[in-house]
Structures are given as C-alpha cells and as structure tokens.
Amino acid sequence: MSALTLWNNMTRREQRIIIKLFGGGSLHGDSMNETINLMRLGLITENGLTPVGLEVFIAAFKAQRDIRQAEVAA
C-alpha cells in the first residue's frame, strides 16, 4: 500500500495525531482507539513517529503542495 493511499484511508483524527507528532507533540489526550490503530499499522510508537509514519506524512504533505501549486498555476 502506498504511503499516500495509507494517508487517505486514515480517519481525520488519525491524521491529526500524525501531524501533531511530526510537529513534536505527544500522544497525551489522544483517543486510545486511533493511537492503537496507528501503532498496529507501524506508523507510531510511544516515542513518536516511525520512519514509515514519517514517510506517510511527507507523501501527504507533498501531494497537498502539488495540488496547491496546480491550483495557483491554473
């Protein structure tokens, strides 16, 4: 499964957890259901993002950037 497909299949709450961890935040106060699911997918650990989690975040960030650039160019 590609990183971007994985991102698109995540719930908005799961995406927010990934974004928060990328920004240096913690898992404090997050839903256990989403946290456990992200751990099962291998995207996060109790210490933060895994390399796979980082790859998923970067793929989503680049896709969003490309869409915005295409909109500006149009």
Side-chain angles (χ1 to χ4, degrees), residues 1-3 5-11 14-15 18 33-45 48-56:
M1 182 179 288
S2 80
T5 302
L6 188 55
W7 178 265
N8 290 334
N9 288 332
M10 282 194 270
T11 66
E14 291 169 339
Q15 291 173 350
I18 296 289
N33 290 336
E34 283 86 13
T35 302
I36 290 170
N37 189 40
L38 291 171
M39 285 181 175
R40 285 183 184 152
L41 291 171
L43 302 176
I44 65 171
T45 66
L49 286 176
T50 64
V52 175
L54 183 59
E55 181 182 334
V56 168

Side-chain angles (χ1 to χ4, degrees), residues 17-18 20-21 25-32 35 38-39 44-48:
I17 292 170
I18 296 289
K20 186 168 77 166
L21 290 174
S26 70
L27 295 172
H28 180 73
D30 290 320
S31 167
M32 285 303 293
T35 302
L38 291 171
M39 285 181 175
I44 65 171
T45 66
E46 53 278 342
N47 298 323

Side-chain angles (χ1 to χ4, degrees), residues 59-72:
F61 181 83
K62 286 181 177 180
Q64 185 178 25
R65 182 192 63 199
D66 293 345
I67 290 169
R68 287 187 182 175
Q69 287 177 344
E71 288 173 352
V72 170

